[in-house]
Amino acid sequence: MPTPPSPRRGRRPVAVVSFAQADNVRRESHHNEVETLMPVFAELFAKTGSGITKDDIDFICSGSTDYLIGGPFSFVAALDAIGVYPPRRESHVEMDAAWALYEAWVALQDEGVDTALVYGFGKSSLGQLHKILSLQLDPYVMAPLWPDPVSLAALQARTLLDAGTASEADFAAVAARSRRAALENPKAQVAYDRTVEQLLAEEYVVAPLRRHALPPITDGAAAVVLAAGTRAFEWAERPAWITGIDHRIETHALGARDLASSPSTARAGLEAGVGDGPVDVAELHAPFAHQELILAAALGLGEGVDLNPSGGALAANALMAGGLIRIGEAATRVMDGRAGRAVAHATSGPVLQHNLVTVLEGV
Amino acid sequence: MADRVAVIGAGQTYHKARRDDVSIAGLVREAAQRALEDAGVTWADIDAVVIGKAPDMFEGVMMPELYLAAALGAVGKPMFRVHTAGSVGGSTALVAAHLVTAGIHQRVLTVAFEKQSDSDAMWALSVPQPFSAPLLAGAGGYFAPHIRAYMRRSGAPRDIGMKVAVKDRLHALGNPYAHLHLPDISLQTVEESIMLWDPLHYLEACPSSDGAAAMVLGSEQAAAEAQAVTGRRPAWVHGMAMRSEPTMFAGRDQINPRAGRECAQDVYRQAGVTDPRRDFDCAEVYVPFSWYEPMWLENLGFCDEGDGWKLTDAGATSMDGGDIPWNCSGGVLSSNPIGASGMLRFLEAALQVRGEAGDHQVDGVRRALGQAYGGGSQFFAMWVLSTERP
């Protein structure tokens, strides 16, 4: 049995050993959240190993938000997709499930917790997403003005253009590459093969963002199994070891931020050790095309890094699961040997306010 | 082996029906600032912030931690948001504590709040959901049938709940932060208050409060430094546990949920507690409706099943001569900023262990229990605190 790489922080090596996600679709009208999650868990446990069930899991953590279903406690019903009986050690974050993975990683540092199930889900089709996300803003100063997420992203894109660090063609190039990569991703929602010139011919949605620079509205769900120490080698031939993980938040006040950069991503990447070795693959949670440019710069990812081979959030944008999917996609490429060292990034809040970076390595 | 963790600072707001004098940011900052001062540290000394609250619809702000990052000094740091229903205040503290026991951080600020006056919790709990029976009754309407089932099962007389309502409100008179101060409360005034959900009278229900709670959790080194600066001793964590079970299934015991029993067994095993009534000097337990005191006395193993009401009836849980005082702070029945209510249980247990509870201090507390529950009694969080370093 090989030796796991030693993590930068924490006392035990922890790895992603399996990942599954639902089909990402515009409107999942026939299944509720529980019904969407159940086949994801079935696929996840089948991938984890023969005979492995929820009863082999020591800790469960999920990420979701009540505002998508428009009612309290969206995570409560979702637990029925697992069946937490006998009673289980279980927790929930009102953040993207990438942060649920972080909580599970912390829990796995304790002896006696060797395995964890992490999942996230979001059905954006249930409401008017652009209005719902406005309610994420400062309730006294910003939310009453109802700024929608596309307009905020357009402000951010404009700062890039004004700084001269990127052009509209650069945004289109990110979108063209992402949607082309998504042709290879059977779970993707938006995939096509179009040239930058074709994309630049589109009308603006909110200038300077054209339709191609926007994420789709998605219903989706995803789940990951984590295992610590030797258990990871029992449950996966080649586990994707989490050698670094960190997250940082910025102020909410847009006027106090330099929207053209992402210091929180840079700091999290530094703490996670992104620069400690070569990066083969990076899955960046960039719902808007220009955000990939900001994130890649913040993480120092240069030529030679395969960026968002899944198509990223431009191909499918399941809220509350999208960050976890980035980790799952990166881990999958480590587990199947396509990548030796991968970076996964997750974001939360308006225009990249809160960012989490994970480094995954195979041995 | 996990690192040690202790409560090295605690702070809370004056809980009120309306805190119109502050924004949400002002509310959480007030509690956090008090916790930092209590720990003898500044914002710069904090490595990470872990915040919890109950459903976001209680204020109408989606994921408010984003907006609160600067107010809680989290900019440039990890900030984490927990939501596990009513138990959230407790589970938030546990998530924060694990960051220290895992050796990741030295000092973590944990905060929980609710500003109920910004919205309407009763409404937020009763939004009609597709394909689900509308509840339209708030939490009291959900729990009252379970209370009636407990009364039938245990043979408890009808006045037990009223005794809890009086006892906790008299305890609250020693807690300047409590929302309700009702010096004239009596069994008669409780019984004469309006019947809300049979058998729960108005005065047997928790209030709706605006409020926040905060703690600084520290490593062994941080605890030593805080004690050197402030002279106040840490409250050491000896056990932490969370348990969940499904909301609905055939055979679920909603009166004495298995998740609560097993959560208690886990935390007692970690802390070496074998006889909770003897081994604890006091307990802060989530009792939002009066009858949940006898129910949780049984669930937490302070007595045999069916005997909880007898302890309450005999005054065992009273600061006035009882051997195992419960909710000396006045409990949830006296202050209920929902998301913070669980953390207040954990925090008040810490105050007792640190000897910092003022007029509601129990003499010579060496070990205390903090418990929170949520949802329809399917989510539990607990910790055991002691004066002794583990």
Side-chain angles (χ1 to χ4, degrees):
Chain A
M1 194 175 284
T3 309
S6 45
R8 283 173 66 92
R9 268 189 183 165
R11 62 174 64 83
R12 292 177 92 195
V14 172
V16 175
V17 296
S18 53
F19 164 65
Q21 64 178 314
D23 289 336
N24 292 280
V25 297
R26 174 63 184 85
R27 189 180 302 277
E28 173 50 85
S29 50
H30 290 76
H31 299 101
N32 65 19
E33 288 81 351
V34 171
E35 293 160 343
T36 304
L37 281 166
M38 287 182 76
V40 174
F41 291 143
E43 182 188 333
L44 182 75
F45 285 119
K47 281 180 174 174
T48 309
S50 175
I52 293 172
T53 70
K54 66 183 171 73
D55 294 329
D56 299 304
I57 298 293
D58 298 324
F59 179 65
I60 299 166
C61 198
S62 64
S64 68
T65 177
D66 287 349
Y67 266 72
L68 291 183
I69 67 161
F73 308 124
S74 67
F75 64 94
V76 174
L79 270 177
D80 285 344
I82 306 170
V84 282
Y85 203 78
R88 313 307 295 268
R89 184 173 164 185
E90 183 270 337
S91 188
H92 171 262
V93 300
E94 196 85 357
M95 295 186 284
D96 187 285
W99 277 267
L101 181 140
Y102 185 88
E103 183 177 335
W105 173 77
V106 173
L108 282 158
Q109 300 303 317
D110 281 353
E111 300 289 339
V113 180
D114 293 332
T115 59
L117 168 66
V118 178
Y119 65 96
F121 59 93
K123 273 190 87 170
S124 296
S125 67
L126 294 173
Q128 294 173 283
L129 194 58
H130 62 290
K131 284 193 171 176
I132 290 169
L133 288 173
S134 289
L135 297 172
Q136 210 179 47
L137 302 168
D138 176 330
Y140 304 96
V141 178
M142 285 173 68
L145 304 172
W146 294 96
D148 66 274
V150 177
S151 300
L152 293 179
L155 280 175
Q156 185 179 39
R158 180 67 69 193
T159 64
L160 281 179
L161 298 179
D162 289 350
T165 51
S167 66
E168 292 182 36
D170 293 332
F171 305 165
V174 169
R177 192 195 72 241
S178 298
R179 267 61 180 259
R180 196 173 301 122
L183 291 167
E184 306 294 318
N185 177 2
K187 301 290 187 182
Q189 180 185 352
V190 180
Y192 51 62
D193 186 5
R194 291 178 199 163
T195 65
V196 168
E197 291 68 31
Q198 283 173 303
L199 296 182
L200 285 172
E202 292 175 350
E203 297 285 318
Y204 287 122
V205 177
V206 180
L209 298 181
R210 297 179 168 87
R211 184 173 170 81
H212 64 258
L214 273 53
I217 294 174
T218 305
D219 288 355
V224 156
V225 172
L226 298 179
T230 53
R231 184 70 69 91
F233 283 119
E234 292 165 22
W235 281 10
E237 212 167 300
R238 183 178 150 90
W241 295 98
I242 298 171
T243 54
I245 184 166
D246 195 87
H247 67 102
R248 303 280 157 167
I249 197 166
E250 296 177 35
T251 179
H252 187 69
L254 294 183
R257 289 174 55 192
D258 172 12
L259 296 179
S261 67
S262 183
S264 57
T265 301
R267 177 70 191 277
L270 187 71
E271 299 289 340
V274 170
D276 291 356
V279 177
D280 301 319
V281 167
E283 281 280 339
L284 306 179
H285 193 188
F288 294 88
H290 66 274
Q291 292 175 338
E292 189 193 281
L293 304 171
I294 296 170
L295 294 168
L299 292 169
L301 303 176
E303 300 288 319
V305 179
D306 189 3
L307 285 183
N308 284 341
S310 72
L314 288 169
N317 187 37
L319 292 189
M320 315 316 285
L324 184 68
I325 290 171
R326 302 282 74 73
I327 296 172
E329 292 283 5
T332 298
R333 283 158 178 82
V334 171
M335 287 189 285
D336 66 19
R338 277 180 288 173
R341 193 162 183 273
V343 168
H345 158 270
T347 196
S348 175
V351 285
L352 307 177
Q353 186 192 345
H354 192 185
N355 295 285
L356 179 146
V357 178
T358 308
V359 176
L360 300 146
E361 295 183 39
V363 290
Chain B
M1 187 59 206
D3 292 353
R4 296 182 176 97
V5 61
V7 181
I8 62 172
Q12 59 184 299
T13 58
Y14 292 94
H15 312 298
K16 288 185 165 54
R18 301 186 70 90
R19 283 294 306 270
D20 287 332
D21 58 319
V22 286
S23 63
I24 296 171
L27 189 76
V28 295
R29 178 122 180 151
E30 190 175 304
Q33 187 73 53
R34 287 192 178 120
L36 295 184
E37 285 164 9
D38 189 42
V41 299
T42 67
W43 293 98
D45 297 316
I46 298 298
D47 300 322
V49 178
V50 180
I51 186 168
K53 70 174 299 299
D56 290 357
M57 294 168 79
F58 285 2
E59 285 81 15
V61 186
M62 178 186 187
M63 300 162 70
E65 67 279 2
L66 295 164
Y67 140 72
L68 294 171
L72 289 171
V75 173
K77 298 175 183 176
M79 187 172 193
F80 205 86
R81 161 70 194 285
V82 181
H83 175 20
T84 63
S87 63
V88 65
S91 30
T92 302
L94 297 185
V95 171
H98 279 293
L99 288 168
V100 178
T101 61
I104 296 162
H105 296 305
Q106 287 287 312
R107 289 181 199 83
V108 178
L109 172 67
T110 185
V111 185
F113 78 94
E114 210 72 68
K115 203 160 188 296
Q116 286 211 57
S117 67
D118 276 14
S119 179
D120 183 333
M122 176 91 167
W123 167 82
L125 287 172
S126 306
V127 183
Q129 295 291 316
F131 313 112
S132 299
L135 195 56
L136 302 175
Y142 183 89
F143 290 121
H146 302 142
I147 290 169
R148 291 198 296 276
Y150 170 74
M151 294 167 75
R152 188 167 59 248
R153 187 192 284 188
S154 67
R158 281 186 71 84
D159 64 350
I160 296 299
M162 292 186 267
K163 287 185 171 173
V164 177
V166 172
K167 183 262 295 179
D168 279 2
R169 268 52 173 269
L170 293 178
H171 284 177
L173 297 176
N175 178 7
Y177 294 106
H179 175 174
L180 297 182
H181 290 116
L182 306 172
D184 299 326
I185 194 167
S186 67
L187 287 175
Q188 187 182 349
T189 59
V190 175
E191 190 163 19
E192 287 173 356
S193 66
I194 190 171
M195 179 65 77
L196 291 180
W197 309 276
D198 190 16
L200 292 170
H201 299 84
Y202 177 75
L203 283 174
E204 291 180 80
C206 52
S208 292
S209 311
D210 289 356
M215 289 185 283
V216 180
L217 305 180
S219 65
E220 192 166 1
Q221 187 190 333
E225 289 172 14
Q227 188 165 13
V229 170
T230 68
R232 287 184 281 274
R233 64 173 180 258
W236 294 99
V237 178
H238 281 237
M240 305 189 275
M242 287 165 68
R243 284 295 183 282
S244 308
E245 68 182 39
T247 312
M248 306 275 182
F249 64 95
R252 175 165 187 240
D253 188 346
Q254 308 228 34
I255 317 305
N256 190 2
R258 182 171 165 184
R261 282 181 277 135
E262 293 186 358
C263 190
Q265 285 161 12
D266 188 359
V267 83
Y268 296 167
R269 179 188 51 75
Q270 293 172 45
V273 169
T274 52
D275 178 351
R277 185 171 177 183
R278 184 197 67 208
D279 294 343
F280 288 114
D281 300 298
C282 62
E284 283 281 338
V285 177
Y286 203 108
V287 178
F289 301 100
S290 58
W291 280 90
Y292 274 82
E293 175 173 297
M295 290 163 71
W296 291 153
L297 278 164
E298 298 172 24
N299 190 246
L300 289 168
F302 281 70
C303 59
D304 290 335
E305 189 161 3
D307 286 350
W309 65 270
K310 295 173 188 165
L311 266 65
T312 299
D313 199 33
T317 56
S318 169
M319 285 185 77
D320 186 13
D323 67 291
I324 179 62
W326 269 34
N327 293 327
C328 304
S329 65
V332 184
L333 282 172
S334 302
S335 312
N336 184 36
I338 302 174
S341 292
M343 187 171 287
L344 285 169
R345 309 283 68 71
F346 279 46
L347 181 154
E348 288 286 350
L351 294 184
Q352 292 288 348
V353 164
R354 302 178 76 203
E356 297 284 330
D359 288 344
H360 62 285
Q361 177 71 45
V362 176
D363 284 341
V365 172
R366 294 179 59 246
R367 187 150 51 184
L369 171 70
Q371 179 260 24
Y373 87 99
S377 312
Q378 75 272 43
F379 301 115
F380 293 86
M382 302 178 194
W383 75 4
V384 174
L385 300 177
S386 168
T387 52
E388 304 289 323
R389 195 181 63 174

